[in-house]
């Protein structure tokens, strides 16, 4: 167990892919977890596997501010505080590009990739301030490069920019803020498996690197790409 073994961590998008792998990895390192996503059955299964004393499953659609407020309140009450937040939930679109894109799909994606990220930060910062804690968010390589017509990429440019701004705000009270920017990861984000790309475990390891860094070290960004 690491010296951070007693930390309490909220993970959004914990029901699959990167969030699920990070939950398992953080639990092995001894962190206690508040897990949220919409699919309660998957969250319950994961929490049972981790151990009900170490993980609390709180199903929610986090694009609703009041719903997310309840998740944070319930989690903090259950474990008695909050040290780390992994704002990871995100989605893409099935219709690529701008001219051919679907505004209804954009709305859902923006609600999650942008608004829910902001809600997660606003609702957890008062708790992280108390613990001098750590806010971690999932950006993407798509937020660092130009991708023809990509609205998804544009939402991740938002994450990248917000991550930098939030890090400066949190510096006022010595909080840590990290943006994790992966290239393609083999998760249910894609309809087809991507076995030669990054594994969700690689991203989970990057998250743990930021958490386990010496307290003097604020890992501001981890950018990881598949080798092939
Ligand atoms: N896979 C990649 O190549 C890749 C690369 C770079 C960045 N990313 C980013 O990584 C993050 C995680 O994606 P992933 O690849 O792990 O895909 P994933 O397996 O599809 O995970 C997405 C997670 O978000 C949750 N979610 C979706 N809508 C939600 C809502 N309204 N409220 C609460 N939770 C919601 C999903 O759970 P429910 O459906 O149960 O709600 C799921 O747990 C995303 O931000 C994505 O943009 C992915």
């Amino acid at each position: 167990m690491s010296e951070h073994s007693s930390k309490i961590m909220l993970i959004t998008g914990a029901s699959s892919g990167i969030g699920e792998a990070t939950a398992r990895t953080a639990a092995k390192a001894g962190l206690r977890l508040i897990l949220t996503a919409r699919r309660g059955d998957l969250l319950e299964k994961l929490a049972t596997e981790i151990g009900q004393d170490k993980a609390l499953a709180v199903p929610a659609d986090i694009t609703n501010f009041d719903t997310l407020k309840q998740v944070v309140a319930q989690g903090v009450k259950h474990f008695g505080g909050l040290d780390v937040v992994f704002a990871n939930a995100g989605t893409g679109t099935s219709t690529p590009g701008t001219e051919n894109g679907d505004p209804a799909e954009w709305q859902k994606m923006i609600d999650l990739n942008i608004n829910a990220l902001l809600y997660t930060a606003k609702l957890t910062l008062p708790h992280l301030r108390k613990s001098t804690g750590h806010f971690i968010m999932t950006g993407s390589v798509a937020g660092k490069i130009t991708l023809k017509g990509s609205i998804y990429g544009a939402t991740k440019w938002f994450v990248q920019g917000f991550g930098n701004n939030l890090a400066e705000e949190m510096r006022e009270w010595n909080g840590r803020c990290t943006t994790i920017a992966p290239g393609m990861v083999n998760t249910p984000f894609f309809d087809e498996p991507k076995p030669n790309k990054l594994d969700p475990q690689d991203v989970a390891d990057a998250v743990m690197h930021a958490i386990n860094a010496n307290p003097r070290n604020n890992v501001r960004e981890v950018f990881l790409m598949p080798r092939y």
Side-chain angles (χ1 to χ4, degrees):
M1 263 191 207
S2 76
E3 62 177 290
H4 310 289
S5 59
S6 63
K7 284 188 173 171
I8 299 151
M9 180 181 190
L10 166 69
I11 301 178
T12 73
S15 63
S16 80
I18 292 167
E20 180 188 356
T22 303
R24 286 210 174 84
T25 309
K28 273 189 204 130
L31 282 87
R32 288 171 291 165
L33 304 172
I34 305 154
L35 307 172
T36 195
R38 291 167 304 178
R39 287 170 292 176
D41 51 339
L42 295 181
L43 288 181
E44 275 303 336
K45 197 162 164 266
L46 182 60
T48 304
E49 189 191 312
I50 290 170
Q52 297 286 355
D53 52 330
K54 292 184 219 131
L56 177 72
V58 193
D61 181 340
I62 65 162
T63 61
N64 183 302
F65 183 84
D66 292 330
T67 305
L68 183 56
K69 194 174 179 178
Q70 291 306 315
V71 173
V72 174
Q74 197 181 326
V76 168
K77 188 170 176 217
H78 184 83
F79 287 119
L82 191 61
D83 302 287
V84 184
V85 174
F86 183 32
N88 163 73
T91 190
T93 57
S94 55
T95 44
T98 304
E99 190 175 348
N100 291 320
D102 174 358
E105 255 194 345
W106 298 345
Q107 185 67 58
K108 279 192 173 161
M109 179 174 67
I110 289 167
D111 276 349
L112 183 64
N113 296 10
I114 296 180
N115 290 329
L117 168 65
L118 297 178
Y119 300 161
T120 306
K122 174 159 179 69
L123 290 166
T124 59
L125 282 171
H127 303 288
L128 295 181
R129 184 187 277 270
K130 277 187 207 151
S131 61
T132 324
H134 194 165
F135 193 92
I136 304 171
M137 63 194 90
T138 309
S140 171
V141 62
K144 300 175 73 67
I145 61 170
T146 298
L147 286 173
K148 189 173 59 172
S150 174
I151 312 298
Y152 170 75
T155 68
K156 291 299 182 179
W157 277 93
F158 178 91
V159 176
Q160 188 75 29
F162 175 64
N164 289 334
N165 290 354
L166 185 64
E168 290 304 315
E169 183 174 320
M170 292 177 70
R171 266 181 68 181
E172 288 175 0
W173 42 267
N174 300 325
R176 298 199 290 184
C177 183
T178 304
T179 303
I180 307 286
M184 192 177 277
V185 190
N186 185 17
T187 73
F189 188 89
F190 300 104
D191 295 333
E192 299 294 323
K194 309 281 180 193
N196 294 326
K197 300 302 179 187
L198 293 170
D199 189 89
Q201 186 61 52
D202 300 322
V203 187
D205 291 343
V207 173
M208 294 313 296
H209 167 72
I211 294 171
N212 288 326
N214 189 289
R216 67 176 168 259
N217 180 6
N218 182 14
V219 178
R220 288 276 297 259
E221 184 175 345
V222 183
F223 179 25
L224 57 162
M225 288 294 287
R227 189 164 171 194
Y228 308 106

